[in-house]
Amino acid sequence: MATFKPIVIFVLGGPGAGKGTQCANIVKEFGYVHLSAGDLLREARASGSPDGQLIESYIKEGKIVPVEITIALLRKAMENSGKDKFLIDGFPRNKDNLEGWEREMGDKSIVKFVLFFDCPEETCMERALKRGASSGRTDDNIESFRKRYQTYLTNTVGIIDYYKAKGLVRTISSIPGPEQVFNEVKKLFNDS
Ligand code: UP5
Ligand code: MG
């Protein structure tokens, strides 16, 4: 008998592209569990995890935290949810993340597709800096944003390309307003 495997959709895009906003919409309408790797790391840092200082320094520098830390948080959240349909937001961002996922979860889950929010740097920057006025995030400032975007270009774009070659990427422009973007997202989820 085949073992049951949870379904995963990875949600990728530049910093501030609107991943979290659209994931919240998808949760309401399509019943997935939203796991933001960045949120899980920020929570671990805030809860006094022994990795807290390391996480903070990586986030502020826009660098990608070693996968052992991130994947342990994702696995725990998946198990604790008791659910079987996940939106994994902001992961995998680099080769280390991808290899860690394939090693730990490759045969324990099914990656249905990768939802890629395509958004130019200027728009991402505007959104992140505007949010910075109230988010309390230590990386919503111009210096950290530039580093985050550079990390996105040098690391994450290659991961999106890897999944493109497998025919698994669904691209949606997130330049328009959130409602318009969600209309496109809905079409995709209704068809899949
Ligand atoms: N907004 C959203 N959509 C809009 C739209 N269509 N039109 C106008 N405004 C829109 O949105 C950002 C802002 O824009 C909000 O104010 C929103 O209202 C508005 P949001 O939905 O939050 O965008 P999102 O893409 O989620 O942006 P976020 O800043 O969360 O993306 P990042 O990828 O930078 O952040 P994340 O939390 O994923 O990661 C942070 C850091 O954690 C990383 O830099 C890294 O250091 C670390 N990390 C790892 O090391 N490993 C991981 O696996 C994940 C993270
Ligand atoms: Mg986010």
Side-chain angles (χ1 to χ4, degrees):
M1 205 178 81
T3 4
F4 175 77
K5 293 181 183 181
I7 290 199
V8 166
I9 295 173
F10 290 134
V11 183
L12 295 176
K19 302 181 293 293
T21 303
Q22 295 304 326
C23 284
N25 291 336
I26 298 166
V27 166
K28 278 189 220 139
E29 198 137 336
F30 298 98
Y32 281 75
V33 174
H34 175 207
L35 300 178
S36 157
D39 286 348
L40 290 170
L41 289 166
R42 284 184 287 274
E43 277 160 28
R45 177 192 59 189
S47 72
S49 146
D51 297 318
Q53 273 197 340
L54 180 149
I55 294 173
E56 172 53 18
S57 66
Y58 273 70
I59 287 182
K60 210 165 165 203
E61 289 303 309
K63 293 195 305 188
I64 300 164
V65 172
V67 71
E68 291 70 26
I69 296 175
T70 316
I71 211 142
L73 295 169
L74 286 169
R75 271 188 87 149
K76 198 165 92 189
M78 287 171 81
E79 284 161 16
N80 290 347
S81 76
K83 299 281 172 51
D84 56 16
K85 280 163 60 180
F86 300 96
L87 297 169
I88 300 193
D89 162 4
F91 178 97
R93 301 171 102 90
N94 65 0
K95 209 158 167 271
D96 173 56
N97 282 182
L98 180 63
E99 287 169 0
W101 176 267
E102 289 187 339
R103 196 167 54 236
E104 299 272 327
M105 299 299 291
D107 59 355
K108 297 189 190 71
S109 63
I110 293 167
V111 178
K112 193 173 178 190
F113 57 81
V114 175
L115 177 53
F116 167 44
F117 288 110
D118 196 9
C119 195
E121 179 172 3
E122 299 70 34
T123 311
C124 286
M125 185 167 77
E126 251 170 53
R127 289 177 187 173
L129 296 186
K130 190 168 162 209
R131 182 184 54 191
S134 59
S135 68
R137 274 178 56 164
T138 54
D139 59 351
D140 277 342
N141 55 74
I142 185 78
E143 295 78 20
S144 294
F145 177 84
R146 290 216 167 100
K147 292 175 182 166
R148 286 156 72 192
Y149 201 84
Q150 196 51 46
T151 301
Y152 166 71
L153 291 180
T154 49
N155 293 274
T156 315
V157 169
I159 302 302
I160 297 164
D161 288 343
Y162 166 84
Y163 282 111
K164 271 187 186 157
K166 289 174 163 266
L168 281 175
V169 175
R170 310 288 179 265
T171 302
I172 292 182
S173 166
S174 58
I175 299 173
E179 295 81 14
Q180 218 177 314
V181 176
F182 189 51
N183 282 337
E184 296 307 310
V185 170
K186 274 197 279 200
K187 283 185 206 159
L188 175 66
F189 277 75
N190 284 326
D191 289 348
S192 62

